[in-house]
Amino acid sequence: MTGTPEEALDRAREALRARREAGEYPPPPPPAAAPSPAESRLKLLEWAFVEPDASVVRSTRAHGAPITAAKRMLLRLVGQYLSELSANQTRFNLALVAHLERIEERIAALEAQTRQDETPDP
């Protein structure tokens, strides 16, 4: 069969729908519940902090101990630079999260004002 990728996707979706109707596949799961705004904010704050973990510096090759030792020595040599870099990135991330919070507050205030303006006066 030839055709565009969009046509192939449509054919695949149609085949899946037909197989589901025939009972070959279970129905799709219900969509996951969206996280609450508080959970989303906490997750953003958690992700904003840059915390490199030196314990993950290793080599997965056979007899990789010398490579791991060299990597850890390099990490110690450039540790001050990496710490400053991480601190700068964390400051930027936190400022960005704070800015997003202010934007969300402004949007909520504007939406509330719009709802208030749309309600008819008795």
Side-chain angles (χ1 to χ4, degrees):
M1 295 184 141
T2 60
T4 67
E6 291 80 13
E7 292 169 345
L9 182 60
D10 289 339
R11 286 192 305 271
R13 284 182 176 149
E14 181 60 32
L16 176 63
R17 187 191 58 73
R19 292 179 91 173
R20 273 204 178 119
E21 288 176 358
E24 292 181 45
Y25 287 108
S36 71
E39 291 176 36
S40 296
R41 287 184 182 99
L42 286 175
K43 190 61 82 173
L44 275 177
L45 284 173
E46 180 183 327
W47 289 340
F49 285 96
V50 177
E51 300 171 306
D53 187 5
S55 68
V56 297
V57 176
R58 63 186 181 279
S59 176
T60 57
R61 297 178 187 156
H63 311 294
I67 295 171
T68 299
K71 286 180 178 182
R72 291 191 175 157
M73 184 176 65
L74 282 171
L75 189 60
R76 288 184 62 100
L77 289 172
V78 296
Q80 181 181 0
Y81 170 74
L82 291 177
S83 295
E84 186 65 28
L85 189 67
S86 298
N88 286 337
Q89 186 64 51
T90 297
R91 280 191 292 273
F92 173 81
N93 292 350
L94 290 173
L96 188 63
V97 168
H99 186 69
L100 287 173
E101 287 285 327
R102 287 191 301 271
I103 289 173
E104 286 180 354
E105 289 169 3
R106 288 175 55 197
I107 290 171
L110 289 170
E111 287 175 345
Q113 181 181 359
T114 301
R115 281 191 299 273
Q116 185 181 15
D117 291 346
E118 289 176 353
T119 57
D121 292 330

